[in-house]
Amino acid sequence: MKRIICDSYEDMSRVAADIVEAQIACKPDSVLGLATGSTPLGLYEELVRRHRESGLNFSKVRSFNLDEYYPIGKDHPQSYNYYMNSNLFSKINIAAAYLPDGEADDPMSECKNYDAKIEEAGGIDLQVLGIGVNGHIGFNEPSVSYTITTHLTQLTESTLTANSRNFTDGEAQPETALTMGFGAIFGAKSILLLISGGNKAEVAKKLFDGKIHTDIPAALLHLHPDVTVILDKEAAGGISNLMIENAN
Ligand code: F6R
């Protein structure tokens, strides 16, 4: 697992954009796995900027998002569909972009179809991940066992509390979500995990303490052969100089 510590959130976002750009340069028809939340907003802003100013071309790129609340309408301002359209898809020339359908009548068959679509696309080339304060990736919450396929999951109190900041008072917050499982995430050829902010310092520390904590889903990423973790200074607990090292 390669670890990059950046001085700022902006630097972290630029380094992440460099990796995404290099992926598209090497393979113009890349399949990207994408995350939502506050962490990748800077990355998406930088990708949009490079698309507009330097012609970064997404015309052959396809993407699959990690997760979507369930149930939620596509046009709901807190849906991940809405987030992705407003922050990225409407601003670039991406060939096709998929998210689990938060309005599906039959969530189980939606999950199966989603995995089938990922497989048909040849799997994910580069998976972008954020991390929950409890160590979740996608909405794979801490547990004694982890689900391989895309599935409907119950969000934990920790996640509901962390994400309640996005819902206004009185607005119903879904307590369940559709999420990619470990199969599609670990099937990705390479993985880019972004960790930002002081509230992630504790989980980041545990991620790099030399143990695989099975109650931190992200810690299992140590078992994947190609993972890059980019942290900003706050998440890294105050280490300020840009340093690249092999954390294993
Ligand atoms: C979102 C996702 C989640 C977030 C995580 C961190 O698609 O998969 O795992 O990456 O909850 O969210 P932020 O970045 O808002 O702290």
Side-chain angles (χ1 to χ4, degrees):
M1 190 182 265
K2 189 171 157 197
R3 185 171 66 180
I4 303 174
I5 298 174
C6 294
D7 269 340
S8 66
Y9 175 77
E10 290 71 26
D11 283 349
M12 181 196 81
S13 303
R14 274 192 292 271
V15 175
D18 289 346
I19 292 174
V20 175
E21 185 168 358
Q23 171 66 42
I24 297 170
C26 288
K27 189 174 181 236
D29 61 347
S30 285
V31 177
L32 301 179
L34 298 176
T36 56
S38 46
T39 309
L41 282 172
L43 162 64
Y44 297 152
E45 202 178 306
E46 182 61 17
L47 291 175
V48 169
R49 192 188 67 72
R50 292 181 192 196
H51 171 68
R52 286 196 179 138
E53 293 175 14
S54 347
L56 176 58
N57 186 6
F58 294 84
S59 65
K60 293 183 181 162
V61 171
R62 286 166 294 169
S63 70
F64 289 90
N65 263 80
L66 282 165
D67 41 23
E68 176 60 284
Y69 288 117
Y70 185 86
I72 200 160
K74 284 192 181 59
D75 297 329
H76 190 294
Q78 298 315 328
S79 77
Y80 289 163
N81 189 74
Y82 185 94
Y83 167 111
M84 289 307 300
N85 279 325
S86 33
N87 292 304
L88 187 67
F89 299 150
S90 65
K91 300 176 176 176
I92 59 171
N93 62 337
I94 196 157
Y98 304 96
L99 285 95
D101 181 1
E103 296 178 289
D105 290 334
D106 178 353
M108 303 310 156
S109 66
E110 170 58 16
C111 290
K112 270 194 181 158
N113 291 340
Y114 201 64
D115 282 334
K117 266 189 267 177
I118 296 172
E119 210 179 308
E120 261 168 50
I124 291 164
D125 291 303
L126 173 64
Q127 174 68 56
V128 177
L129 295 174
I131 185 173
V133 283
N134 64 0
H136 72 211
I137 47 175
F139 277 137
N140 294 277
E141 299 281 34
S143 176
V144 290
S145 62
Y146 295 103
T147 305
I148 294 166
T149 54
T150 297
H151 57 284
L152 179 64
T153 189
Q154 176 69 45
L155 301 174
T156 59
E157 276 311 312
S158 158
T159 298
L160 290 170
T161 305
N163 290 3
S164 64
R165 68 189 193 279
N166 301 317
F167 291 83
T168 53
D169 275 350
E171 196 175 31
Q173 180 182 2
E175 296 188 357
T176 52
L178 303 174
T179 182
M180 263 185 211
F182 270 64
I185 296 172
F186 270 73
K189 293 183 187 71
S190 60
I191 295 178
L192 178 56
L193 170 61
L194 305 180
I195 314 184
S196 162
N199 63 335
K200 303 282 174 69
E202 201 180 312
V203 75
K205 198 171 158 199
K206 279 186 105 176
L207 193 58
F208 291 109
D209 72 358
K211 294 180 185 158
I212 296 175
H213 296 271
T214 52
D215 59 343
I216 296 180
L220 297 174
L221 294 171
H222 279 290
L223 303 174
H224 188 284
D226 187 354
V227 178
T228 302
V229 185
I230 315 181
L231 304 97
D232 65 13
K233 183 166 73 176
E234 287 74 23
I239 304 166
S240 62
N241 57 323
L242 177 72
M243 55 189 232
I244 299 179
E245 59 184 291
N246 196 319
N248 284 328

